[in-house]
Amino acid sequence: PAQKDMARRGFLVFLLVTILLLDQTTGQGSHSKARKHSKRRVKEKDGDLRSQINKLWQEVNSLKEMQALQTVCLRGMKVHKKCYLASESSKHFHEANEECIAKGGTLAIPRDSDETNALRDYSKKSLPTSATDFWLGITDMVNEGKFVDVNGMVLSYFNWDRLQPNGGKRENCVLFSQSANGKWVDEVCRTVKRYICEFLIP
């Protein structure tokens, strides 16, 4: 009987230890699962917050751009869905183009006769009388004789003066000639001229 008692007690202790161990491992499993779930929730919340912050930044930046464009339009001239702003200095073509890009636009690119007339009228008011020519955002630097805008887009409107373009490989940039009533003339890109930037507005 004493041996049976000992065996029974040993078995009960074994059962108790086994039950305790099982309880701990399943408890740990559920705790780790809970931790994983809470971590996942935190990550999801972080992701949501990040995307909301990014959206807000995008909205702020677009508002800043709109404000900058409105400032340009107040200083310059608004025509259809464009604003024009005349330069206060003279630069060669590449510098002029970079200056316009830095302000959020490009050199002016008239797309039809209405824009040509608007540019002509605006330049008469805004540029000094000595500046009868100013740079346009049009070149044939990439392919000789194929004039495109500064974004590389093919043009569907041209307004060349008589016998123009006539500069060959030497003259790859285009001027708007006031003296020729808004006609285009090709010119050496290193020539220093006034310029007008254009900004697309919604």
Side-chain angles (χ1 to χ4, degrees):
Q3 279 181 336
K4 278 186 180 177
D5 247 13
M6 288 282 289
R8 206 177 282 139
R9 277 184 195 156
F11 181 71
L12 284 172
V13 168
F14 172 75
L15 266 177
L16 264 172
V17 169
T18 308
I19 289 167
L20 283 171
L21 282 171
L22 279 171
D23 187 48
Q24 273 190 333
T25 54
T26 54
Q28 280 177 349
S30 62
H31 283 311
S32 64
K33 277 180 188 173
R35 268 190 232 118
K36 280 178 187 172
H37 283 305
S38 63
K39 278 181 184 176
R40 198 178 295 145
R41 280 192 208 111
V42 168
K43 277 182 184 175
E44 283 169 10
K45 281 181 184 175
D46 282 355
D48 288 348
L49 281 172
R50 279 198 193 105
S51 65
Q52 286 173 1
I53 289 167
N54 286 338
K55 280 179 189 172
L56 285 171
W57 271 117
Q58 285 171 355
E59 284 176 31
V60 166
N61 287 332
S62 64
L63 283 170
K64 280 182 183 176
E65 283 174 24
M66 285 297 294
Q67 191 177 11
L69 284 175
Q70 285 168 357
T71 306
V72 165
C73 289
L74 287 172
R75 288 169 47 213
M77 175 183 170
K78 187 177 174 184
V79 180
H80 308 300
K81 291 193 170 188
K82 289 183 178 183
C83 281
Y84 297 121
L85 184 63
S87 65
E88 293 175 9
S89 60
S90 299
K91 294 181 188 255
H92 64 66
F93 178 86
H94 300 290
E95 285 178 333
N97 189 41
E98 283 168 20
E99 186 74 24
C100 291
I101 290 168
K103 289 177 181 173
T106 62
L107 284 169
I109 306 158
R111 302 287 181 182
D112 53 39
S113 57
D114 288 343
E115 288 185 9
T116 296
N117 294 337
L119 264 176
R120 189 185 60 235
D121 296 343
Y122 173 61
S123 63
K124 280 180 182 173
K125 288 181 208 162
S126 306
L127 296 175
T129 50
S130 58
T132 57
D133 301 331
F134 58 89
W135 289 121
L136 293 176
I138 300 166
T139 75
D140 72 339
M141 280 185 266
V142 178
N143 290 320
E144 176 57 34
K146 289 188 178 179
F147 286 87
V148 295
D149 70 18
V150 285
N151 301 313
M153 301 294 287
V154 176
L155 300 169
S156 57
Y157 169 79
F158 296 92
N159 194 32
W160 294 111
D161 198 6
R162 282 186 323 110
L163 307 176
Q164 293 289 333
N166 65 357
K169 290 183 179 178
R170 198 172 150 272
E171 298 176 354
N172 294 316
C173 296
V174 178
L175 289 171
F176 184 103
S177 174
Q178 278 288 20
S179 56
N181 209 25
K183 297 288 185 186
W184 302 358
V185 177
D186 60 344
E187 180 58 91
V188 176
C189 300
R190 300 287 312 170
T191 309
V192 173
K193 294 284 179 185
R194 286 292 182 108
Y195 57 97
I196 292 175
C197 299
E198 81 172 26
F199 304 86
L200 299 178
I201 51 174

